[in-house]
Amino acid sequence: MTERSLTIDRVRSARDSVYAHLAREMCELGADPTTLAQEAVSLDGIDWLERWVRPEIPPPPPIAVLFGAEWVQIEPSRVTLAFEPAEWMFNPFGAVYGGVTATAIDILLGAALHTTLPAGSGYATNDLHVRFVRALTAETGRVLATGTVVHAGRRHATVEGVVEAAATGKLIATATAAFTVLRASDESAQE
């Protein structure tokens, strides 16, 4: 077997092809980031998120498609997200990169907070702390990540979460995050 030498240009070309493919697929799904952002702000958080647990869902954000993320449960102050490790997520040692898991957790914890927010509100992650208990690998299979709001104040919020293997219930990671709550009324008061 002969080795094919790679160049930076070849790797960049492969990356660009993947991005272009994702963009085409998102376009076919009808996803538009501007529309998605407007909808996220125009609806209260629970109404916006609950749309993804129905049989017929709106076009999802590209990152949800990339992660293979599916909302399993959405209720006020609590959400559960499922996803399966994919080949692109693995480090050279066969485990999902910690940053990939942390990104999924950030999405999850933000969504839990979003369920408590009225229309016209948003949030920004201030601090994210993830504790990895065991490696997330291909053998782990589908995982369930649950986020629960601990405190949702007018300007600050705290949310905690767990990631567990769906088949075994084994703990993969725990997390906490602090958020700044962004409200339209706060912005107009500062002008």
Side-chain angles (χ1 to χ4, degrees):
M1 185 161 117
T2 62
E3 283 189 39
R4 182 176 171 199
S5 82
L6 289 176
T7 64
I8 292 280
D9 289 340
R10 174 64 186 113
V11 172
R12 286 178 180 154
S13 176
R15 178 199 60 215
D16 292 346
S17 293
V18 169
Y19 289 168
H21 179 74
L22 181 60
R24 280 190 308 275
E25 290 294 320
M26 295 311 300
C27 185
E28 285 185 26
L29 289 174
D32 173 29
T34 303
T35 302
L36 189 67
Q38 290 169 344
E39 290 172 350
V41 174
S42 67
L43 298 171
D44 68 44
I46 193 82
D47 288 341
W48 188 75
L49 284 162
E50 279 182 336
R51 300 175 318 151
W52 279 288
V53 293
R54 298 177 187 151
E56 190 172 306
I57 64 171
I63 196 162
V65 173
L66 190 61
F67 270 83
E70 297 175 8
W71 292 108
V72 176
Q73 178 186 36
I74 295 171
E75 58 187 55
S77 299
R78 184 179 172 89
V79 297
T80 300
L81 176 72
F83 70 94
E84 285 196 42
E87 188 175 309
W88 69 265
M89 299 175 179
F90 294 118
N91 66 24
F93 310 108
V96 171
Y97 278 102
V100 170
T101 304
T103 300
I105 290 170
D106 187 40
I107 293 166
L108 168 81
L109 300 182
L113 173 60
H114 199 174
T115 66
T116 69
L117 299 178
S121 300
Y123 54 88
T125 307
N126 289 342
D127 177 75
L128 176 64
H129 184 85
V130 181
R131 290 163 225 70
F132 298 100
V133 176
R134 65 177 38 86
L136 178 53
T137 67
E139 289 77 36
T140 304
R142 183 177 168 100
V143 296
L144 296 174
T146 301
T148 306
V149 175
V150 175
H151 168 75
R154 175 146 180 78
R155 297 194 183 274
H156 302 283
T158 304
V159 185
E160 61 187 16
V162 296
V163 179
E164 300 170 313
T168 64
K170 287 186 177 181
L171 185 65
I172 304 296
T174 63
T176 55
F179 295 91
T180 295
V181 177
L182 308 169
R183 299 180 190 270
S185 61
D186 293 343
E187 291 173 14
S188 61
Q190 293 175 358
E191 291 178 359

